[in-house]
Every structure is written in C-alpha cells, then in structure tokens.
Amino acid sequence: MSESTFGPSRTIALVAHDHKKDDLLDWARFNLERLKGHELYATGTTGTLLERELGVPVHKLKSGPLGGDQQLGALVAEERIELLFFFWDPLTAQPHDPDVKALLRLAVLWNIPFACNRASADFLVSSPLFSGEYTRRVPDHSAYTGRKLPGNAQNS
C-alpha cells in the first residue's frame, strides 16, 4: 500500500438520484460553510442545482444516465476525487444502475470515503478529518495489474 495525503482543501463529488436531489440540496445548504473552499464535482443536473442554490462553482459532468457516473468513476480511479457524497434512491429502479454500482465499487476499491445518505454524510462532514490533513492508504493493485496473462497477450 502507498499513501496519499489530503490537504485541507478537498476534491468532493456530489451526486443525487432524482428523488434525493432535494435532500442533497438541503444538506448542502446546511453545510455550505463546510463545503466552501473545496473543489466540487457533480453529475449534470445535480451540479446545476447545487451551483444555482449555493452560489458556489461546481465542475459539472454529464448527467448520471448519460455517462456522468462513469466520468466520476474515472476521476476516482485517477485519484482525483477524495470524497464522494452520493444520495442514491434504493426504492426506485435506475436505468443506469450498473454505472451506479460501478462508481460505488470504485470508491471502495480506491479507499475513498463516501456517504450514501444524509446520516452518513453528516458523520463524514462533521469529522475532524473532513477539514484537516488526512493520509489515505492507497491500495496496491500491482498483483492484479502484473498478473500473467494467457498466451502472447501483453498486460494493459
């Protein structure tokens, strides 16, 4: 394992399914002072709503069903996202459910703190680690990437 140190300013992803957008917006308004000064990323519609409601800049990706969840997953894999707040709706079928699961899997794989509901978001944002320096252990995936492949194929 290697380590990656987060400074006091974080890159934070904010995502919410349609039936959870109001909950995320309410939570973000309540935590606006804590979120200010951090670099915020969001999927399309959520990002537009957050920027309008909070008056803070948000890097807006595509809408989740149009590839935004996958874009966020790529940022996680590139170690560019340090925290993920994803208010997802467990009672509504999502057309992009595989993308949602892939994003959450990548957050676990790369040891990224994430919250999936308001209670876990409250715990995460109120932790002293939220705004202080934190050294995250980055998993070593070299055994997987360096595995022997069958035939003459090259590792990629």
Side-chain angles (χ1 to χ4, degrees):
M1 286 219 180
S2 63
E3 295 181 342
S4 172
T5 300
F6 299 171
S9 178
R10 310 254 189 265
T11 53
I12 299 172
L14 300 158
V15 186
H17 284 151
D18 287 346
H19 290 103
K20 296 293 181 176
K21 288 191 190 321
D22 287 341
D23 198 23
L24 178 66
L25 286 170
D26 187 52
W27 176 86
R29 271 191 294 277
F30 183 79
N31 289 290
L32 179 57
E33 290 307 311
R34 287 186 173 121
L35 294 173
K36 281 183 179 177
H38 298 288
E39 193 169 359
L40 305 178
Y41 287 79
T43 49
T45 307
T46 303
T48 299
L49 292 169
L50 286 165
E51 203 168 58
R52 184 179 68 205
E53 294 290 319
L54 304 180
V56 296
V58 177
H59 297 278
K60 291 177 289 302
L61 306 173
K62 293 188 180 300
S63 176
L66 300 178
D69 297 327
Q70 291 184 349
Q71 287 179 299
L72 272 179
L75 292 172
V76 168
E78 293 170 358
E79 299 183 57
R80 293 178 51 198
I81 297 294
E82 296 169 320
L83 293 163
L84 171 63
F85 294 90
F86 191 158
F87 284 33
W88 61 278
D89 182 357
L91 297 178
T92 303
Q94 303 294 327
H96 61 297
D97 192 54
D99 301 336
V100 171
K101 288 181 178 160
L103 174 57
L104 298 176
R105 186 186 74 76
L106 287 169
V108 170
L109 181 71
W110 290 103
N111 198 28
I112 299 296
F114 70 96
C116 290
N117 59 30
R118 191 172 186 138
S120 59
D122 286 342
F123 272 77
L124 194 58
V125 78
S126 64
S127 166
L129 300 174
F130 181 79
S131 57
E133 191 171 288
Y134 175 71
T135 301
R136 173 180 65 95
R137 295 186 75 180
V138 179
D140 178 5
H141 299 295
S142 62
Y144 181 81
T145 58
R147 73 195 184 284
K148 182 175 167 75
L149 299 177
N152 293 328
Q154 297 290 321
N155 289 345
S156 59

